[in-house]
Amino acid sequence: QVQLVESGGGLVQPGGSLRLSCVSSGSIFSSGSFYTMAWYRQAPGKQRELVASVTPTNRLYYADSVKGRFTISRDNAKNTVDLRMNSLKPEDTAVYYCNAQIGSTNYWGQGTQVTVSP
């Protein structure tokens, strides 16, 4: 079974920066190199949305709302995927979830709260 553990959430002022990390374990593979990993977020009253993703070959995707401000990266040796967030806005406030797609199955972390407030 794949397990994902997120960390790095917290309270930050508008314009600030934050780094989220996700550690994956329990896969049949030794690292996350063979599957796509992503960050999603869900704000109160809104649907969960894809923020950024990275494929095994490091093909990147960013939502328009975060492009130029957020950076997703993976370290296969350490089984981690990070989301570096810059120039944070109040509308970035949400619970952020790490996601791994293995075959037809999606695995999710527990979520970490990011709050952007003056």
Side-chain angles (χ1 to χ4, degrees):
Q1 181 69 280
V2 173
Q3 295 175 309
L4 306 175
V5 179
E6 300 122 319
S7 64
L11 175 64
V12 65
Q13 294 182 351
S17 300
L18 211 59
R19 181 178 68 87
L20 307 182
S21 295
C22 174
V23 180
S24 62
S25 63
S27 174
I28 190 70
F29 307 107
S30 61
S31 72
S33 62
F34 296 125
Y35 46 87
T36 296
M37 300 196 70
W39 286 95
Y40 286 73
R41 68 185 181 187
Q42 187 167 24
K46 300 183 67 176
Q47 294 188 136
R48 188 173 299 186
E49 64 176 343
L50 175 63
V51 176
S53 64
V54 54
T55 71
T57 57
N58 280 314
R59 181 182 178 185
L60 306 176
Y61 166 83
Y62 296 98
D64 288 342
S65 59
V66 307
K67 191 173 184 178
R69 300 188 297 118
F70 290 12
T71 303
I72 188 171
S73 62
R74 67 195 302 163
D75 187 332
N76 293 325
K78 297 180 179 180
N79 298 321
T80 60
V81 59
D82 288 358
L83 184 68
R84 296 176 175 85
M85 306 182 293
N86 298 318
S87 302
L88 284 162
K89 306 174 181 179
E91 48 263 48
D92 294 319
T93 296
V95 178
Y96 284 70
Y97 297 90
C98 182
N99 166 268
Q101 185 182 21
I102 304 177
S104 299
T105 304
N106 281 287
Y107 296 89
W108 299 92
Q110 80 285 356
T112 184
Q113 176 71 47
V114 172
T115 302
V116 185
S117 178

